[in-house]
Each structure stands twice: as structure tokens, then as C-alpha cells.
Amino acid sequence: MSNYHIKHLEEYFQVYRKSVREPENFWEEVAEEHFIWRKKWDNVLSWDFSKPEIKWFENAKLNITENCIDRHLLTRGDKTAIIWEPNDPKEEAKHISYNQLHKEVNKFANVLKANGIGKGDRVCIYLPMIPELSVAMLACARIGAIHSVVFAGFSSKALATRTKDADCKMMITSDGSYRGHKTIDLKGIVDDALEECPDVETVLVAKRINADVNMKEGRDKWLQPLLDEASDECVPEILDAEDPLFILYTSGSTGTPKGMLHTTGGYMVYTAYTFKNIFRYEENDVYWCTADIGWITGHSYILYGPLANGATTLMFEGVPSYPDFGRFWEVVEKHKVNQFYTAPTAIRALAKKNLNLVENHDLSSLKVLGSVGEPINEEAWHWYNDNIGKNKSPIVDTWWQTETGGIMISPIPYVTPAKPTYATLPFPGIQPALMDDEGNELEGNQVDGRLCIKFPWPSIARTIWGNHKRYKDTYFSAYENKYFTGDGALRDEVGYYRITGRVDDVIIVSGHNLGTAPIEDAIDEHPAVAESAVVGFPHEIKGNALYGFVILKDTGEVRDRDNLRKEINQQISDKVGPIAKPEKIQFVSGLPKTRSGKIMRRILRKIASKDTSDLGDTSTLLNPEVVEEIIEGAL
Ligand code: 6R9
């Protein structure tokens, strides 16, 4: 199908129109022409958002690893599937060809089977960014086991909660991990977690740091000797399109994490099709997404989407700051990366550093830049565009969620004209709706509301593992017959979408609705500011007032704080309006962030409200030490 790779704007509109008018025909064509199925579907789609129940490609049979590996072997067997770049640049990078990947996945799959894992069993994977992580996930998929990857930065408590919730039979981990200068005792964390998880029968341990770890008799096994002995042939389990592929946890606004369940056929079709178009992947390109595979971005756009296209995907073990803040650009130069996909939080951190760190490297291979995870503020967008993209590589600001499985709203590079801070247009098949507070859909352009999706797309999560009611309550109950995203968005005069932030971040000040994102944008545009977060706190007269937490750039220059406050307030008055001026501005050295880089506003709200006796669950915080500092300096 010629439309698999959208090449100009008119074609986008044409494809989009078809995807809305005849969604079933549209997805059927994509699915038919670009994947191998052992049996075709009886029905493309059946859905009912009131239950909610969604089925794509019903009764079709396939194995996703056949699509991600086997079918490439004839034409691309020697092509590199995965480039692995280690934490330490002095250690050699690995290039794993599709042929090798095939063998390694088969061996691992046979090890799983020999250890009692079969179709439908849950396997928890708690590994650093080493090739074994990708191989383990694909090995599960090969035999129909359901992987539940837990980011290897989570604490033993968080790991235990997730392992128990998914009722995992097996844990796959390593003796430890490297992270910049540090080594982390992953096996120790697993041992602590498993004290609470008696149902885990086997722990497979990969060797990474050669640490002397405890191996529990009868439970723990070194992985490598088992792989060495395993056969490199493994017939893939043939699954139903709606059989589960994986569980991935995402935090809710309250309570326990939600195990989002993704299924096989639709997830494959959607991640592959979006990858091809949104990164404009061409046969010999090298694609790099800097996320950790422990997040949905890594699942869909390091592993499944790229491999389903026979791409070369780079997996980076390290951090952007090691050995120095030029590491990303060094890796781009070293592997001649063509597509680079990262998060605004990383961009802002790097933009604070000396430009020499960028300019010392040849970035001429880059063709497409991506952003994901949070709204990208205008200043970060321009820094990325000017210094990394050199004004020639388009930026795709991709909006999506763990729940959506794949990118939902995004420019198509070289096709959609960019507009900084706008995720722009819905991808084919995605039907957004903006809702007002009364539950009515806002028609036309230049409107601002709550972002819903009114029609299913192939990679929507099908349920929350073990809690279908919570799935219904969280996503399908706020608005009838619509999936509610939890985000606010506006649609501008040409129909472009801008994500304005979580709607739970909306603060009503003196009866005015204020989104935190535009206020933070205004603050961040002050030349002395590196990053900021604005939250609301109760106010006698206004109902709520605003509290700004501001990180200054480390330029070494000493500035008068009161003057800075005045200038920042002026900036906000100018950009958003005087109503948006914070009551208080506190200068801080960091903001409490989750490991995926999201600001934990819940904590800031408590601090702003002087209610710090119980900060709630802080186990997912990357930098707990900064919380103490902020509490001490609170105004
Ligand atoms: C992929 C991912 C989902 C939430 C989402 C939204 C925010 C993600 C964004 C963005 C503005 C973007 N978000 N991408 N906001 N612009 N380009 O991040 O999944 O970790 O589940 O987070 O992240 O608020 O609702 P997840």
C-alpha cells in the first residue's frame, strides 16, 4: 500500500480522512500488506466503550517475533538489528544482527520453557539496558508468556508491588548495573522484593558487573550457562491477535500502580505503522530512542516498532551526563544516528551546559528529532531545533501514553509544518475530541478542553490487569463513549493540538482557569531560569494562589533574588496575564521528579500548602534529597 509511508501533507489529509471514514478498511489494508499472519482475522474491529471491550483483528493468528525477526532473515539477516552502546564509552559497542538476534531469542525462549514458563505465564523483567533485556522480552513473546518489565531504577518495594500484582512466576534480573559512575546492586533489590513474593519460583540472573551476589539454592540460576546449552531453534507459539503481549505499570493519581495490558496484533500493527511514519525510517538508517525500555516509549519505540520495520535500533545503557554532558552527541556521532528521540527534561538539562559539548561533535547524520513525555516548552524546543537540528531536522513532538501503546498526536516530519510546543495533528486512525466541563464536545477550532479519543485505535490497552472496573472508571466513565486521557489540550485556528498538561494540574485562581504549562513556559523564558514548576495552594481570597518553584541556570553569576522575582512576574504578566503571577516564588536547586522525568507535583502542592506531615508514596522519586531542601526553604 503506497500510503504506508506518508510523504506530503495532502497525502496525510487523504489518509487521515480514509482512516476516519472507513477505519476498518483502513486498518485492514495496513495489517494485510505489512505483516505476516498465520491466519487472517474474521472481523477487523468490535468495540463497546461502555463495557469497555475492544477487539482488533479477531481470531487472527500470529507471533509478533516472527514479524520482528524471522521474516527479516531472508533479506536482512546480516543487518544490525540492535546496536548496544555501553555505559562506559571505553567498552566496546555491540552490533547484533537479525540472524544473531533470532538465535539468541530462540535460546532464551528455550530456557524459559525449560524453567516451566509457558503461554499466559507472567515473567517479571528487572534488568538494566543490556541486550539481555530486549532478548528476554522477545523470548517471552516467542512462547506467548506475558512480560512485565519493571524499570530497573524502581525500589524493592515498588518491584514487589508490581511482581505480586501481576502474579509473576519468574524474575529475570542481573548481578547489578552500571549507571554513570555508580554501580547498582540489582540482585540485592530483587532479593529484598522477593521476600514478599513467594510465588516467584525461578530467578534468572544475567552477569553484567561481575558482582559477588547471593544465589538462593533452588530458586536462583545464572543465565549464561543455561543459554549456552539451549538449542537456538524454537518454533514460535501461534497466538491470537487478542492474546496478551505484556503488562506495563503506570502510576495513577492515587493508589496502586495500574498494570496496563497490551495485546498482540493491534499493538504490533500500530507501533510499526507509527514508527515508520513518525520517524521517517529508511532502510539503512540508525535510529536512537534514549528512553529506558522499562517505559512504554522503550517498549514501543526501541523494541517492537523498530524491529517490526526491520530497523537498526540503538540501545544505550548509560546516562546523558557520563562521562560528561556531551555523551548523547558523542553517541550520535559515533553511530551516525539518523533519528534521535528524547525527552524535554533531558533537553533542558543539556541546554544548561556549555554549547561546546554539542559543537565538538558531528551531528550531520541527524534527519529527525523527537520529543516525548511532557509538554516541551518553547525555549527547549528552540534550543533543540537550533543546536541539535541545526534548523534542518524537523522535531516531532509526540503525544501519547502508556495506555495508548503508540504515538497519537504528532507531526509527520517533512510533511506537517512545525509549530513549537504543538504536537500538531492526530495520526491516521486517531479521532480526538475536546470536552468542556459540562461534558459537551467542543466543535470547531480555537477551543480548549479536556482531551478524549472517540474511536478505538489498534494499540489501546485492553484492561488494567486484574481490575477491569478500575480501567472503566479511570478512562471510560468521565465522558460517555469516549476514552478520557487525563490531559487538557487546545486546538488552534488551523486544527493543531497543543497539550496543555494534566487536567489535574489546572488551577483555578480567582475563578480563572490557569494551566500550569503556559505559566511555566513564561517563567522558563527568563534568561536566568533553567526550569520551573507551578502549583496551586489554598488562598483565603482567591480560592487558590500560585506557587512557583524555580531552578536558576548555573552560570556562576550572582543575581539579586528580589529583582529576579520581579522580572519573572513581569514576564508572566506579559505572556499569560497578571492573574497568573505567583503569590510566591521559591528558588530551588532541583525539582522532585519521577524516574521517567515527570515533576511530582503532588509533593510540591503539599509543600506549597504547608502540609508536609505526610507526603504519601515517594518510592518512585529519583531525587528524594531535593524534597528536604525545598521544605526547608519554603516560603
Ligand atoms: C509516552 C509517555 C503520559 C503522559 C500524558 C501527558 C504526558 C507525553 C507528551 C506529553 C505533552 C507530549 N505527555 N508526551 N505531554 N506533550 N509530547 O510519556 O507515556 O509515561 O504514560 O505518560 O505524559 O500528560 O498523559 P506516560
Side-chain angles (χ1 to χ4, degrees), residues 45-54 56 431 452-457 460-461 468 471-472 475-477 479-484:
L45 168 68
S46 64
W47 66 292
D48 179 348
F49 275 175
S50 71
K51 287 186 178 167
E53 190 179 89
I54 303 140
W56 281 93
Q431 302 186 32
C452 289
I453 313 289
K454 31 182 192 180
F455 196 85
W457 61 101
I460 182 174
H468 197 67
Y471 175 68
K472 179 177 174 169
Y475 305 108
F476 298 92
S477 301
Y479 304 98
E480 210 187 333
N481 240 339
K482 290 182 182 65
Y483 166 83
F484 174 47

Side-chain angles (χ1 to χ4, degrees), residues 248-251 260 295-298 301 341 344 371-376 396-407 409-410 421-423 451 483 485-488 498-505 594 596 598:
L248 185 62
Y249 285 87
T250 184
S251 42
M260 304 313 305
W295 309 118
I296 191 66
T297 304
Y301 299 110
Y341 190 28
S371 171
V372 61
E374 50 177 320
I376 179 164
V396 291
D397 178 2
T398 64
W399 174 83
W400 58 297
Q401 310 176 296
T402 304
E403 296 85 338
T404 69
I407 297 168
I409 303 183
S410 169
T421 77
Y422 280 73
L451 179 61
Y483 166 83
T485 66
D487 282 319
R498 178 185 187 175
I499 311 303
T500 47
R502 301 293 306 185
V503 285
D504 25 20
D505 293 337
T594 65
S596 57
K598 294 197 168 67

Side-chain angles (χ1 to χ4, degrees), residues 227-300:
L227 290 174
D228 291 342
E229 279 171 24
S231 155
D232 61 13
E233 279 172 38
C234 173
V235 178
E237 181 83 24
I238 300 308
L239 302 179
D240 196 275
E242 282 298 338
D243 276 338
L245 177 62
F246 65 85
I247 298 168
L248 185 62
Y249 285 87
T250 184
S251 42
S253 44
T254 54
T256 49
K258 300 172 286 192
M260 304 313 305
L261 183 79
H262 283 283
T263 58
T264 305
Y267 177 81
M268 172 183 78
V269 168
Y270 195 78
T271 54
Y273 182 50
T274 45
F275 173 78
K276 176 77 182 166
N277 278 288
I278 293 170
F279 299 103
R280 189 183 253 243
Y281 187 81
E282 282 162 300
E283 185 59 36
N284 295 313
D285 288 347
V286 173
Y287 161 88
W288 180 20
C289 165
T290 71
D292 192 288
I293 287 184
W295 309 118
I296 191 66
T297 304
H299 279 58
S300 302

